[in-house]
Amino acid sequence: MCFTLFDMKDELNTAYLRQIRTVMVLAVIVLALFVLKATSEVTLPVAFALFLFAFVNPIMERLTKFRVPSGVAILLVMVLVVSLFLVVAYFLGIMVNMLIAKLPYYAERVKSVDALLSAYAVEYIDDIPANFSLIGSLNVDWYSILMSWLTSISSRVLSLLSDVMIILITLMFLLLERSTFMPKVSVALDRERGQKFSSMLGRINRQIAKYLSLKAVISLATGVCFYLTALVTGLDFALLWGFLAFVLNFIPTIGSIVVTGLTIMMAVIQFTPNWVMIVYVAVLTISIEMVLGNIIDPRIQGVQLNISPLMILISLSFWGYIWGIAGMFLAVPIMSIIQIVCLTVPSLKPVAIILSSGKSYVREYREKEALKKTIVRKRRSRAAESGTMGDRNDDIILPVGPNSIEEK
């Protein structure tokens, strides 16, 4: 009896300690997220540098295989990254200047479209005054807002340049530390933990690099298709729509909806009352997103990522709240990292299962259910032959794991 009481007391203490540990872990996570949001001006460029490092690390490995000296390889990679930043800045400057130059013309086009749609509303909807205006009813000066937003971009150049400099400097130091990081980890940790940590980092690096590479290819294809669509239909700012399609495609689902909606809106402003051209643009852009975004992209990325679409949407909302629009670009890679870490830590494996798409677990569940029905059917058949049907319990608990199910 005493031993039983002592055992119960130990179990209660263990459960109590486990609850305290869970609460402390949750508190640390909440505190860390609060710090990330409060220090976003510093942590966000560092996060971009880390993911940029994952993107260029395969290039460094390839150069190392070709026996290129480490210093020369780092220099080549940094020149490549800086060139990409300069190209993006050049295109952004061209597009902003183009928009500012043509904004007065399109302000008049918006008024014409508003007049036409308001006339349709007055004609077909009762109880609407003759001087009704759709845009006027919103009481928003869209022209002033858009003009102030475009002109404010120039004032944000210094802030963007400082962020870019932080990203580039952090990336350079990451590349310099690349050859010494793992030896330091192996010395700091014991052999078993060092191997697990090294394996986890390698898997994260490969996963993120493959995701970013494939996403860049698919986004480039989407941008080229949007650019060609604008050229074929005569839609203005073809370069802008191609660039937006390329960039926003890195934001799953939401980015595709935004760029498609903006392109169709532009077609309405430019081509009204030529509804055929508007439908033409809408069909082409929606078809591009349907084929590339809903057919090709999931099939290619499905091999690399095993994340639930619902979890991706939740991650987009969550990291969008923490880091704004920039956080949405990093939402999927961060979710992939969290899943890999949870798979590595045994106590966090249930979290990784919840984050996964569940396809493999569905197959496993169906196989277990099918095997269970087969065993039940055989037992009933044997029971019927022996005349003892009903004496056995049909509920069978099958052990988890491959080749671990045996019929007794």
Side-chain angles (χ1 to χ4, degrees):
M1 183 69 180
C2 293
F3 287 108
T4 305
L5 291 175
F6 279 122
D7 291 340
M8 291 177 62
K9 187 176 181 180
D10 290 339
E11 290 180 1
L12 290 174
N13 290 334
T14 303
Y16 181 68
L17 291 175
R18 193 173 301 167
Q19 291 176 357
I20 293 177
R21 186 178 63 180
T22 302
V23 172
M24 291 181 64
V25 169
L26 291 175
V28 169
I29 292 174
V30 171
L31 180 61
L33 293 174
F34 174 78
V35 171
L36 288 177
K37 184 174 177 59
T39 61
S40 59
E41 294 183 359
V42 177
T43 55
L44 186 56
V46 173
F48 267 107
L50 289 171
F51 287 108
L52 194 58
F53 171 78
F55 184 73
V56 300
N57 191 50
I59 302 176
M60 288 290 297
E61 292 179 354
R62 188 64 59 86
L63 292 175
T64 304
K65 289 182 180 179
F66 287 124
R67 299 182 182 275
V68 177
S70 178
V72 177
I74 293 174
L75 180 62
L76 291 175
V77 169
M78 291 301 299
V79 168
L80 175 62
V81 173
V82 171
S83 300
L84 290 176
F85 274 108
L86 291 176
V87 169
V88 171
Y90 175 74
F91 279 112
L92 283 175
I94 290 177
M95 287 182 291
V96 170
N97 291 331
M98 193 184 305
L99 286 172
I100 292 175
K102 292 192 174 183
L103 191 58
Y105 167 74
Y106 281 102
E108 296 299 324
R109 286 292 306 160
V110 169
K111 292 179 181 178
S112 300
V113 173
D114 176 55
L116 181 63
L117 296 179
S118 299
Y120 286 153
V122 170
E123 182 178 356
Y124 295 105
I125 300 177
D126 298 332
D127 301 329
I128 293 182
N131 59 350
F132 175 75
S133 172
L134 289 174
I135 296 180
S137 62
L138 299 176
N139 291 324
V140 177
D141 190 355
W142 298 105
Y143 178 79
S144 299
I145 293 175
L146 185 58
M147 196 67 182
S148 62
W149 180 76
L150 290 173
T151 53
S152 66
I153 291 180
S154 59
S155 63
R156 299 178 184 176
V157 171
L158 292 178
S159 176
L160 292 174
L161 285 177
S162 64
D163 292 340
V164 170
M165 289 301 298
I166 294 174
I167 292 173
L168 294 177
I169 293 173
T170 307
L171 176 62
M172 184 179 66
F173 278 98
L174 288 171
L175 293 174
L176 290 172
E177 291 281 336
R178 177 176 172 270
S179 59
T180 61
F181 180 73
M182 291 314 303
K184 290 190 293 185
V185 170
S186 63
V187 173
L189 302 175
D190 57 65
R191 184 175 180 181
E192 184 179 356
R193 291 182 179 179
Q195 288 178 351
K196 286 184 178 181
F197 188 76
S198 176
S199 175
M200 183 183 70
L201 285 183
R203 185 175 177 184
I204 289 174
N205 190 34
R206 290 191 299 270
Q207 185 95 334
I208 300 304
K210 289 180 180 179
Y211 168 77
L212 293 176
S213 301
L214 292 173
K215 198 66 176 178
V217 172
I218 295 171
S219 298
L220 181 61
T222 304
V224 170
C225 290
F226 266 73
Y227 174 74
L228 294 177
T229 297
L231 287 182
V232 170
T233 58
L235 188 67
D236 290 339
F237 309 119
L239 186 63
L240 172 63
W241 307 123
F243 180 79
L244 285 178
F246 169 74
V247 173
L248 293 179
N249 197 63
F250 281 90
I251 303 177
T253 308
I254 298 175
S256 301
I257 294 173
V258 169
V259 70
T260 303
L262 290 175
T263 308
I264 296 173
M265 188 183 302
M266 181 64 192
V268 172
I269 295 173
Q270 180 178 340
F271 295 126
T272 302
N274 189 351
W275 304 110
V276 175
M277 290 301 298
I278 296 173
V279 172
Y280 192 25
V281 171
V283 170
L284 285 176
T285 53
I286 293 174
S287 300
I288 291 169
E289 290 294 350
M290 289 291 292
V291 173
L292 290 175
N294 296 337
I295 298 177
I296 296 178
D297 192 4
R299 289 191 177 184
I300 295 177
Q301 295 291 355
V303 180
Q304 308 299 334
L305 296 176
N306 183 27
I307 303 177
S308 167
L310 176 61
M311 292 295 108
I312 290 177
L313 289 177
I314 294 175
S315 179
L316 285 172
S317 302
F318 181 78
W319 290 106
Y321 171 74
I322 298 293
W323 280 337
I325 296 177
M328 293 184 177
F329 286 94
L330 303 177
V332 176
I334 291 174
M335 182 66 68
S336 181
I337 292 173
I338 293 174
Q339 186 186 37
I340 293 173
V341 172
C342 292
L343 282 173
T344 305
V345 181
S347 60
L348 297 178
K349 193 173 181 180
V351 178
I353 295 174
I354 293 173
L355 295 178
S356 68
S357 61
K359 293 181 181 179
S360 60
Y361 301 109
V362 169
R363 288 195 299 268
E364 182 181 347
Y365 175 78
R366 289 176 178 174
E367 290 173 359
K368 287 167 60 178
E369 288 295 314
L371 184 57
K372 180 179 177 180
K373 290 180 181 178
T374 302
I375 295 174
V376 170
R377 189 164 54 249
K378 288 182 179 180
R379 286 186 174 181
R380 286 179 176 175
S381 177
R382 288 199 299 265
E385 292 174 359
S386 61
T388 60
M389 187 168 183
D391 295 339
R392 293 174 178 243
N393 186 8
D394 290 338
D395 292 334
I396 299 175
I397 300 176
L398 298 178
V400 178
N403 302 324
S404 60
I405 302 173
E406 295 180 359
E407 180 182 353
K408 297 182 180 180

